Amino acid sequence: MEHTPDARELADLELLLSGAFQPLTGFLGHDDLHSVAERGTLADGTPWPAPVTLRLPADASPGDEVTLLDPEGVPLAVLTVTEHEPDGLTAGPVRSLGAPEHGPFARLHRTPAQVREALGGRPALVVTMRGPLDDLTEIIATAKELDAVIVLLPLSYGEPGPSVVRAALRARDHLPEGTLVVPVPLAPREEPEIDLELREHVATAYGATEHLAGPEPVSIPGPPHRRGLVVFFTGLSGSGKSTVARGLRDALLELGTRTVTYLDGDVVRALLSKGLTFSKADRDLNIRRIGFVAAEAARHGGLAICAPIAPYEATRAEVREMVESVGADFLLVHVSTPLEECERRDRKGLYAKARAGLIPEFTGISDPYEQPDDADLVIDTTHLSIEAAVAQVMGALRSGGWVR
């Protein structure tokens, strides 16, 4: 069995394999997790501050060996399953299959053992960073007092990761010669006290004589008209969503103040998702692909317009999370034109074929459409012109500050 963990699980896996999470040798099970939550220790009493968990599909069983892959499909480790809960929570030790090479600045990564070897027994002042170091005075003074080598550990998890590593490299230029920079993909924990305690554990693993935690960065988002945005239309076939989406694209292009990417459901299926069926699994995959491309466009400040049917609430929520995880905004537009009106239009003859049983799993006929309850804008085009519908969306964009 093979499995690709999510981003947080991959980060924890790298730290397990490198020894940065010593004394842990694998993902935690029920007893350890309960003890961590209640007492801040593992079940055997060893101090440990935070859950380190992995979820696998339902077909895993104790005794199974699961190959864990990076996002490019490269094997990273073998997990021997010792516990598997109904919700997918899985425990067991992990065995490395090679150093991870995915992610930015991979060449700078070092294991704690490699850093301790480089220190050669000298004292170390380890500084963990989640943002820039605005004042280096304390670091320089403390290192001088301890006669210590400075080790900067930029905590390079997620979207801000590369910028934190760059901040560490800039700081190194103003610190004593011999300062080390070692990126560590430690995902932040929600509670600041637990996050700090986990940083202490990692710093100790890297040979810290003393640990300084860099200040948390102050995040001030840019104005909406400079932030990435995904406008995601959802609705039944024939609801008018593609027509409104194209009208929005044209209106934005005429305005000329935003870079626009347009992802129509039918065009994406013909190109990006060619070969996929209309099963639920393939529909979900199609929407995830649309969401990924849209998020990448929005990541760099672009405005992406998507117009798939997207019938399932959970998959729409996944796309929203994809977009918001890269620091962009997400606007869900439900084109709520009723089924009867969509059938009356039936420009492509699809509903007639579905009623005749020629198209299986057709949304609204033989497959459900889950009405969104989190739509930012709802439009019924039954008695509304396309121009008026586009004007409503443009009004939402203007009132949100995304266009001027």
Side-chain angles (χ1 to χ4, degrees), residues 138-148 210:
E138 181 184 3
I139 295 172
I140 294 171
T142 304
K144 185 175 181 180
E145 180 184 339
L146 295 172
D147 191 23
E210 187 161 330

Side-chain angles (χ1 to χ4, degrees), residues 202-221:
V202 171
T204 299
Y206 275 92
T209 306
E210 187 161 330
H211 168 231
L212 289 178
E216 294 296 310
V218 177
S219 178
I220 304 175

Side-chain angles (χ1 to χ4, degrees), residues 3-353:
H3 177 71
T4 301
D6 66 25
R8 177 177 288 266
E9 293 166 341
L10 279 171
D12 285 349
L13 175 63
E14 182 172 335
L15 299 180
L16 286 169
L17 296 176
S18 73
F21 272 176
Q22 62 179 357
L24 300 191
T25 58
F27 291 98
L28 301 182
H30 177 272
D31 291 346
D32 282 327
L33 290 173
H34 177 75
S35 184
V36 166
E38 293 295 319
R39 295 183 291 277
T41 70
L42 301 177
D44 65 4
T46 303
W48 189 259
V52 178
T53 59
L54 174 74
R55 279 184 161 75
L56 289 180
D59 52 354
S61 302
D64 287 351
E65 289 197 340
V66 181
T67 301
L68 302 178
L69 310 175
D70 76 6
E72 297 175 358
V74 177
L76 294 176
V78 173
L79 165 74
T80 302
V81 178
T82 57
E83 297 179 34
H84 184 73
E85 302 288 341
D87 63 356
L89 190 69
T90 305
V94 290
R95 171 171 54 86
S96 176
L97 295 176
E101 298 180 357
H102 66 283
F105 300 103
R107 68 178 183 83
L108 294 178
H109 287 216
R110 300 192 199 182
T111 67
Q114 290 169 332
V115 171
R116 290 196 301 269
E117 182 179 356
L119 291 171
R122 292 171 294 173
L125 174 63
V126 176
V127 182
T128 55
M129 304 168 50
R130 290 209 187 275
L133 300 171
D134 297 326
D135 186 359
L136 303 178
T137 306
E138 181 184 3
I139 295 172
I140 294 171
T142 304
K144 185 175 181 180
E145 180 184 339
L146 295 172
D147 191 23
V149 178
I150 298 171
V151 181
L152 301 181
L153 299 186
L155 305 179
S156 57
Y157 176 78
E159 180 68 15
S163 64
V164 179
V165 178
R166 288 193 293 270
L169 293 172
R170 287 194 299 270
R172 182 181 62 181
D173 294 339
H174 302 281
L175 290 170
E177 186 176 352
T179 294
L180 301 177
V181 173
V182 183
V184 176
L186 179 64
R189 269 49 184 183
E190 291 183 3
E191 297 180 38
E193 297 82 3
I194 290 178
D195 189 64
L196 179 59
E197 191 173 344
L198 193 56
R199 289 163 72 167
E200 293 269 7
H201 274 266
V202 171
T204 299
Y206 275 92
T209 306
E210 187 161 330
H211 168 231
L212 289 178
E216 294 296 310
V218 177
S219 178
I220 304 175
H225 69 279
R226 293 183 180 172
R227 291 206 300 269
L229 172 68
V230 173
V231 182
F232 193 93
F233 289 86
T234 176
L236 295 169
S237 177
S239 63
K241 64 186 179 305
S242 293
T243 309
V244 177
R246 285 194 297 269
L248 176 65
R249 173 200 61 189
D250 293 346
L252 289 168
L253 291 175
E254 290 172 17
L255 194 61
T257 59
R258 299 290 310 237
T259 300
V260 179
T261 300
Y262 175 62
L263 298 166
D264 178 73
D266 291 337
V267 175
V268 169
R269 271 204 168 267
L271 298 173
L272 186 64
S273 295
K274 186 176 182 179
L276 293 186
T277 69
F278 286 88
S279 68
K280 184 179 188 305
D282 278 3
R283 288 185 191 198
D284 285 345
L285 178 56
N286 178 55
I287 300 305
R288 290 191 191 102
R289 288 178 177 177
I290 291 173
F292 174 78
V293 175
E296 287 301 298
R299 177 197 296 270
H300 303 290
L303 190 156
I305 302 170
C306 312
I309 292 174
Y312 307 122
E313 180 180 358
T315 318
R316 294 191 299 260
E318 280 188 54
V319 174
R320 183 188 287 273
E321 185 176 350
M322 278 186 209
V323 172
E324 293 178 346
S325 71
V326 301
D329 295 330
F330 185 85
L331 187 78
L332 182 63
V333 180
H334 178 206
V335 183
S336 63
T337 309
L339 175 62
E340 296 74 17
E341 176 63 16
C342 296
E343 277 201 81
R344 187 190 67 76
R345 297 173 181 177
D346 205 12
R347 184 168 58 89
K348 301 176 185 178
L350 299 177
Y351 284 100
K353 291 179 181 178

